[in-house]
Amino acid sequence: MTSTQPERITVGALSVRFLVESDDSNGTVCMFECGVPANAQMPMAHSHDAFEETVFGLSGCTTYTVAGETIELNPGDSTCIKRGVVHGFANHGDVDATFLAIISPALFGAQYFRDVGAVLAAAAGGPPDKAALGAIMREHGLTPAPPPPSA
């Protein structure tokens, strides 16, 4: 194991650092830290059919929506997102937030975030290409959620 710092991947406003990759755990688990700036949100809600995701709040407050339920993830709080459950997150506060995500089994990795980051960067602050994001998500084992109904 090396003592180098993990790569920081920019995904729109978010930042991601993988702390444990699939190869480090014989495919059993991967773990990444996600930084969510104040007033930021992830690009698209989604589900995953082949792995669970457990998230643990490190700083600030990240608001998760899991199967339609709102969960405030503060430091020390955790929740497990089961396979097939639609979820997303945002930081509605004025303070940056950070959480730790643990994926089991480790069927998901840093390349997903690099690919999504490239699509968001290409949008140059405008709306991202939703079809491209959806294709990347499916390629990496995620299923994009249908858009919420209009009010």
Side-chain angles (χ1 to χ4, degrees):
M1 198 120 193
T2 63
S3 62
T4 61
Q5 285 290 337
E7 168 191 13
R8 185 168 302 278
I9 303 166
T10 301
V11 186
L14 310 178
S15 67
V16 176
R17 289 184 327 131
F18 267 78
L19 306 172
V20 177
E21 295 264 14
S22 179
D23 290 346
D24 300 328
S25 69
N26 293 322
T28 59
V29 67
C30 67
M31 181 171 57
F32 62 89
E33 178 187 88
C34 184
V36 188
N39 301 302
Q41 69 181 39
M42 66 177 289
M44 292 176 76
H46 63 276
S47 63
H48 19 79
D49 294 331
F51 57 87
E52 268 76 40
E53 178 177 11
T54 301
V55 290
F56 180 82
L58 297 175
S59 67
C61 179
T62 307
T63 302
Y64 268 81
T65 303
V66 180
E69 178 186 348
T70 300
I71 299 169
E72 299 291 337
L73 194 70
N74 290 293
D77 293 342
S78 64
T79 192
C80 181
I81 302 161
K82 296 178 182 173
R83 298 172 196 215
V85 175
V86 173
H87 59 284
F89 64 84
N91 179 348
H92 300 297
D94 295 329
V95 175
D96 294 350
T98 307
F99 65 84
L100 191 65
I102 300 140
I103 306 295
S104 179
L107 301 175
F108 181 76
Q111 191 59 47
Y112 166 76
F113 292 104
R114 290 185 199 106
D115 293 348
V116 169
V119 170
L120 296 177
D129 181 340
K130 299 260 187 196
L133 288 175
I136 291 166
M137 292 172 84
R138 286 185 286 280
E139 177 184 335
H140 291 275
L142 283 72
T143 301
S150 315

